[in-house]
Amino acid sequence: MVNFVSRVGVVVGLACALSACQAPFFANQKKEPTPPPAPVVQPKPVVQDSQAVRLLILNGEYTLAKDQLLTPANDNAYDYFRAALKLNPESSRAKGGLQGIVMRYVDLARQAAARGNYPQATTMLNNARIVDPANLLIKEVSDGLAAQIKLAPPVEPYRGGSNEFLLEASLLGKDDPKILARIAEIAQKLKSTNNLAIIIARTDGEGRWIYQKLRDAVPDYRVRGDIKLGGPPRVQLVPVAQ
């Protein structure tokens, strides 16, 4: 009986000793702080296109399909898409429409370069820069075109076809007597033949300037026609379809 009690005492003593040793260890354990909850990112609200924006985009897509990219004035894809973005700067369709114009001009530039018409290819790329000056694809194609021009043989200058009047490019946009006299000659020819004036210009602004000077030269006659982008600058006299 004595042995049993003594054994129990030993066991209890050992248990107390162990608990005494372990208590400080667990007491010194630092509880890891609970991480803060992840911030909740609220999705940016999507602004829906209004009816006015949708109508502008539809007009832009229609004129883009007809290659009315920068012209004619007030009825071209560029103006329609920009007007849509003024009403809704987040409109993805309007932004995509502007990129569609860039892609079309790049495609036209490549086609012109493949035909060896490097002035027209350059004009198309310049028009693309009006829409998106920092576009990397334009730079890539422009660099390739510059390398292609260096390797190409010299090209005979364009001399114009029948009923075509070439304009000196360096004088366009200036009230120089020489270019004004040339435009006045074309305007009188338009009046006497009642033909349409197809203006080929390097930029939309240049084409509008030529058209305005044609009108100024014959104020008593309504000049009819259209503006097309290309080069070299010239005016074609086209009979009115019967």
Side-chain angles (χ1 to χ4, degrees), residues 24-102:
F25 173 78
F26 288 110
N28 292 333
Q29 287 280 336
K30 290 185 178 179
K31 188 177 180 181
E32 292 293 330
T34 304
V40 178
V41 179
Q42 295 294 336
K44 191 174 182 180
V46 178
V47 181
Q48 297 294 331
D49 288 336
S50 65
Q51 183 176 357
V53 172
R54 289 195 296 270
L55 181 60
L56 287 168
I57 290 173
L58 287 174
N59 284 331
E61 291 170 347
Y62 176 73
T63 48
L64 173 59
K66 292 179 64 179
D67 272 349
Q68 294 175 208
L69 308 178
L70 290 176
T71 57
N74 303 320
D75 188 23
N76 61 79
Y78 181 57
D79 287 345
Y80 283 127
F81 289 132
R82 282 203 312 166
L85 284 173
K86 286 181 179 179
L87 296 178
N88 179 11
E90 302 301 323
S91 174
S92 58
R93 280 182 68 185
K95 292 178 182 178
L98 290 178
Q99 289 307 302
I101 298 174
V102 171

Side-chain angles (χ1 to χ4, degrees), residues 5-39:
V5 172
S6 60
R7 288 177 182 174
V8 170
V10 171
V11 171
V12 172
L14 288 172
C16 292
L18 286 172
S19 63
C21 293
Q22 293 175 352
F25 173 78
F26 288 110
N28 292 333
Q29 287 280 336
K30 290 185 178 179
K31 188 177 180 181
E32 292 293 330
T34 304

Side-chain angles (χ1 to χ4, degrees), residues 60-176:
E61 291 170 347
Y62 176 73
T63 48
L64 173 59
K66 292 179 64 179
D67 272 349
Q68 294 175 208
L69 308 178
L70 290 176
T71 57
N74 303 320
D75 188 23
N76 61 79
Y78 181 57
D79 287 345
Y80 283 127
F81 289 132
R82 282 203 312 166
L85 284 173
K86 286 181 179 179
L87 296 178
N88 179 11
E90 302 301 323
S91 174
S92 58
R93 280 182 68 185
K95 292 178 182 178
L98 290 178
Q99 289 307 302
I101 298 174
V102 171
M103 296 301 296
R104 180 56 178 153
Y105 272 129
V106 168
D107 184 50
L108 291 172
R110 285 172 169 161
Q111 293 179 28
R115 298 192 302 269
N117 192 340
Y118 303 124
Q120 185 177 11
T122 301
T123 297
M124 295 300 105
L125 292 177
N126 288 337
N127 291 335
R129 289 189 185 94
I130 294 174
V131 182
D132 187 0
N135 190 287
L136 295 179
L137 178 60
I138 300 174
K139 183 179 184 308
E140 178 185 337
V141 176
S142 181
D143 291 344
L145 177 64
Q148 188 175 344
I149 292 173
K150 286 182 180 179
L151 298 175
V155 180
E156 286 293 323
Y158 185 77
R159 302 190 183 281
S162 60
N163 288 330
E164 274 194 335
F165 294 81
L166 295 175
L167 300 171
E168 192 169 336
S170 62
L171 298 180
L172 292 175
K174 304 174 184 178
D175 286 335
D176 184 278

